[in-house]
Amino acid sequence: MSSEPITAYAPTGVLSNVPVASNLVQSSFVIWGSQLLFFGVGWVFVVEKLFRDYEVKTGLVRAVFAATFAASCTLFEMVIFEIGDVLDASSRRLHWTITLYLMLFNVIVLLPFYQFFVWFAERDNAWIRRHRWSLASVCWTLYMYFFWKIGDQFPIKTAQHSGQRGFFGIESGLGRVGVIGVTIMAILSGFGAVNSPYTTLFFFLREVTDADVAAAEKRFIHSMDMLLSKRKKLLLARLRLKGAEDPTGRAGGFVRSMFAKVTSGFSTGGESINHMTHEIQALETVMRQLFLDLDDLNLERERIKYSQTLKGHYFNALGYIFSIYCVWKVVTSTINIIFNRVGGTDPVTHGLNVLIHRFGIEMDVTFWAPQLSFVFVGVMVVCSIRGLLIQFMKFFRAFSSSLSPNNIVLFLAHVMGMYFLSTVLMMRMSVPPQYRTIITDVLGRIEFDFYHRWFDVIFLISALASGGFIMILTQLQKQRDLENLATGLLGSTKSY
């Protein structure tokens, strides 16, 4: 009785026994259908989240964002298809190539040019609007020159293939996009590795009581009363000055002028108004800071109450687990930089080997490695997309009042495209070697080790800078709390 050997790492594809033409048609339906679904999700996100409270000036901007989001999600879908061996291998390779070329055209050509075009089209100057095509073309040409020069400064290709595939190769475009995208990833990751434990762990909570909040509210109300009083005095001073400058314009003008001089103490009205204006501006600045302090105290008090609930204890435990991972990531990045080391195995296989050799746990690595890798990559994909969209919402709400919403959304689409292209570039190391074949071939002869080292360097710099920045903010906050406490004690003493 003969039996065929079972290959655990490379199971037979779903459509592997179907003719090549049928494979291509069916795989195209699957890929294009999922792209339409992703496009719909991206469109709804723009309309319901980003543009919910703002005027939508053009539907093309939303379409470009949704198309970029759909292509980015398709890249992650292709990674999952590689691990699950979904669709025919030749069809996957073709769709990998098509999607990468579309994404590179989008982030290198379309989005930069369209951002320049929209910016010039929304200017108030009629001459700029009339020549927006020419101005956008000139700016895009300058952008392309500096963008392409980036590749000359970094070893983005392997030495033996540094001159192949030329200008229109995937390596040339993806290598340059990867430098910018990996830098963005590393900066965000370094900041998150330090800021996330600080904001999620209840260990770092400030001690805020109801008395502290009440004192802050009292200071805010007192400053508001002072501001209203100053504004009232300023209004009266302007009325007096207006009466003094118009002694004969209406009946009784001379009498009003004399009365204004007497009530103002015969002082110079202009100087008094300027002095009060500066005082009001200073009070407004103080009020803004007091309001921010009050809001911060209320948020901190709510976090303290939340920390005492069952759900709060659960997320606090998860925060400790994530903090351990962040510390481990910082330590491993430091070791990688010092010893010039690049990880050679995917995290799942490495973790299973540790369990077997260190703890003596019996398990079938050939069976569990692909299953757990599939789950691990899926979680990474979902977390990457969710995290980036959350940051996009924060960025949009922070700058949408001062900048054009259309330009902001196009800029976010540009960053998203570069970020997800670079994520796929870095995610290759997380995929078991037997599933990297098509990914490596399609991405071309890129120097993958350089990007991992570059990520470690920027990540460590970002983590250290973020740690120092948070420490400075913490010390400033403590100093402000002491000043507020002293002010509150002084105010209570005066009230007696």
Side-chain angles (χ1 to χ4, degrees), residues 245-300:
E245 291 177 349
D246 186 18
T248 59
R250 290 172 295 177
F254 178 76
V255 177
R256 284 195 299 270
S257 174
M258 295 301 298
F259 176 76
K261 289 182 179 180
V262 171
T263 55
S264 61
F266 297 95
S267 61
T268 305
E271 294 180 0
S272 176
I273 288 176
N274 289 334
H275 179 69
M276 282 189 288
T277 302
H278 290 306
E279 287 184 346
I280 289 174
Q281 291 175 350
L283 273 175
E284 288 175 345
T285 303
V286 172
M287 270 196 62
R288 281 194 294 268
Q289 186 59 50
L290 289 175
F291 176 79
L292 292 175
D293 291 341
L294 178 60
D295 183 63
D296 186 50
L297 288 175
N298 282 316
L299 291 176
E300 204 72 10

Side-chain angles (χ1 to χ4, degrees), residues 91-151:
S91 299
R92 294 200 306 267
R93 186 188 300 272
L94 176 63
H95 286 293
W96 262 111
T97 305
I98 294 174
T99 306
L100 282 174
Y101 270 115
L102 288 176
M103 280 291 293
L104 290 174
F105 175 80
N106 197 19
V107 300
I108 296 176
V109 180
L110 177 61
L111 282 170
F113 179 84
Y114 195 26
Q115 288 180 75
F116 290 127
F117 178 82
V118 170
W119 192 84
F120 288 122
E122 294 180 349
R123 296 303 93 193
D124 296 330
N125 190 296
W127 184 89
I128 293 178
R129 293 198 306 270
R130 188 168 56 251
H131 296 84
R132 58 186 180 273
W133 285 98
S134 301
L135 293 173
S137 300
V138 171
C139 291
W140 179 81
T141 303
L142 293 175
Y143 164 82
M144 277 298 300
Y145 173 78
F146 290 108
F147 172 80
W148 209 257
K149 281 295 182 181
I150 292 177

Side-chain angles (χ1 to χ4, degrees), residues 364-409:
D364 186 0
V365 178
T366 59
F367 173 78
W368 284 107
Q371 316 299 328
L372 296 178
S373 296
F374 184 86
V375 175
F376 178 75
V377 173
V379 171
M380 288 180 61
V381 168
V382 173
C383 292
S384 298
I385 296 175
R386 179 182 178 274
L388 191 65
L389 292 181
I390 290 175
Q391 297 302 320
F392 276 4
M393 292 178 62
K394 293 180 180 179
F395 182 89
F396 185 84
R397 290 170 181 172
F399 293 96
S400 57
S401 59
S402 57
L403 299 175
S404 165
N406 289 329
N407 267 115
I408 293 177
V409 172

Side-chain angles (χ1 to χ4, degrees), residues 46-59:
V46 173
V47 174
E48 298 296 330
K49 298 296 183 180
L50 294 184
F51 277 125
R52 181 175 55 189
D53 300 324
Y54 302 91
E55 179 186 0
V56 181
K57 296 184 178 180
T58 174

Side-chain angles (χ1 to χ4, degrees), residues 158-187:
T158 57
Q160 61 270 30
H161 299 91
S162 58
Q164 295 185 8
R165 298 202 190 184
F167 185 84
F168 296 102
I170 289 179
E171 302 97 325
S172 300
L174 185 59
R176 288 164 173 80
V177 171
V179 172
I180 302 174
V182 169
T183 303
I184 296 174
M185 286 176 57
I187 293 174

